[in-house]
Amino acid sequence: MKERKNLPEAELDIMLVIWYEEKKEGEGVTAPRILEKLERPLTASALHSYLKRLEERGYLRCEKAGRVNRYVPLISEEEYRRQESGSILERLYGGSLKAFTAALWDGGELSLGDLDEMRDFLDELSWRRR
């Protein structure tokens, strides 16, 4: 997968709608549907500008279906999450998962239950690698 730039918040909100609707419907998403599902107010004109930008950057493809354009994601939500989490980990914590976890703990973002869940997950990953 080619490296793509991180999405600004407004574009990410649009992609989240597209990914969700695509999983549900599986045939692309129309601009009116995106506007309906977005949690932020946006004009049709602004949405079309964002969609064009996402298309130019390789996140979407626009397919003509009669008189309607349907927008189809070219990158999955899971691919984007992997890319974004790796980027954040590298940029903010020098690639150290330990430093990232320590920051969450020190910031009060992790509970003991979260740590137990992480420990179980790591044990499971370790078991799979054997």
Side-chain angles (χ1 to χ4, degrees), residues 38-121:
L38 268 178
E39 294 184 8
R40 67 171 61 218
L42 200 60
T43 65
S45 175
L47 175 62
H48 285 288
S49 293
Y50 284 125
L51 291 170
K52 185 70 177 159
R53 199 169 325 147
L54 287 163
E55 191 177 358
E56 289 168 355
R57 292 171 62 198
Y59 284 93
L60 294 177
R61 159 176 92 237
C62 179
E63 295 179 351
K64 195 80 165 156
R67 298 178 68 195
V68 177
N69 288 335
R70 293 191 165 278
Y71 296 91
V72 178
L74 295 176
I75 178 175
S76 71
E77 184 176 6
E78 293 74 23
E79 287 175 292
Y80 183 76
R81 284 179 186 222
R82 276 193 301 275
Q83 172 191 310
E84 185 72 4
S85 59
S87 175
I88 288 171
L89 189 63
E90 189 58 43
R91 284 182 296 150
L92 297 179
Y93 301 98
S96 170
L97 189 54
K98 181 179 178 182
F100 173 71
T101 306
L104 289 174
W105 178 258
D106 292 342
E109 298 295 323
L110 290 177
S111 68
L112 290 174
D114 292 330
L115 289 177
D116 288 339
E117 186 178 344
M118 286 174 63
R119 187 176 297 109
D120 291 344
F121 178 70

